Amino acid sequence: TGLATSNALAISFGLYTLLNPTPSNAGFDILVRATEQYNAGHLDEALSLLESIPTNSSAYEEASSARQEWRQEWNTGATQLKAVEEAFNEGRWRDVLIEARKTPNIPVWQQKIQPFVEQVKPELEAQAYYLLNRAYKQAEQRNFTAALAFLKEIPQDTAIGAKIKPKLTEYSQKQQIQAESLLHKAYQQASKKDYNGALKYLSRIPQETPTYQKAQIKMAEYSQKQDFLEEVQR
């Protein structure tokens, strides 16, 4: 009889809990509704709902964090939209994409920015094609440093930008081979005590190559030797 009575009381309490949500459950329900309003682009309504969550709710701390985070994200979204509009109006197509990537992943801001992104895509494709041709011309003249610089300007969001990785690798390898050749020529000039000639070769070694650090050490050495040689001659 005692067990039956206990079970009856437990079931009654469970039904009461389901039909009459506690402040804790009610707080989470409000938080869910606030999130829906925020994603729909209604910041003020979302914040008002968060404010209505009682302090004794287990959702209160989460609501406080969300309130601060949402305000910050909203301000960032407004700032990035302004930056995208300015870049678009000034014809800085690449900057439109750069600024668009910094926009928070909030549907309302993404919807406002997406039209600008779609409009600049044809312009970026044309720009990518132009830069690719410039890179090819520089590579034909064996100026791989300039060729790489043009390739790196091509936006990765374009069709061409997604396909240039093999060319970047190829030109980087050729740039390194060229740097090693310049270093070898510098050594040859230095062996003839033509330190000025050696320095000219070393100065042409690109900073992006692994050979650059070695070239800097040799430049300091050959500069000292050239100064000493000139002093002896004087």
Side-chain angles (χ1 to χ4, degrees), residues 159-176:
I160 293 174
K163 299 176 182 178
I164 60 172
K165 190 174 181 179
K167 279 296 175 186
L168 284 167
T169 302
E170 176 190 341
Y171 290 169
S172 294
Q173 291 173 347
K174 289 181 177 178
Q175 184 189 47
Q176 176 57 25

Side-chain angles (χ1 to χ4, degrees), residues 73 76-88 92-121 124 157:
E73 280 187 346
T76 301
T79 300
Q80 290 310 125
L81 176 60
K82 184 178 179 181
V84 167
E85 289 176 338
E86 288 179 356
F88 182 83
R92 294 183 284 111
W93 313 128
R94 190 178 184 184
D95 289 343
V96 170
L97 292 186
I98 292 174
E99 298 299 336
R101 292 192 200 102
K102 299 176 185 177
T103 306
N105 190 23
I106 305 171
V108 62
W109 293 115
Q110 291 295 330
Q111 289 171 7
K112 290 180 179 180
I113 282 175
Q114 194 59 30
F116 293 101
V117 173
E118 293 299 326
Q119 289 183 69
V120 302
K121 282 183 178 179
L124 285 171
D157 304 79

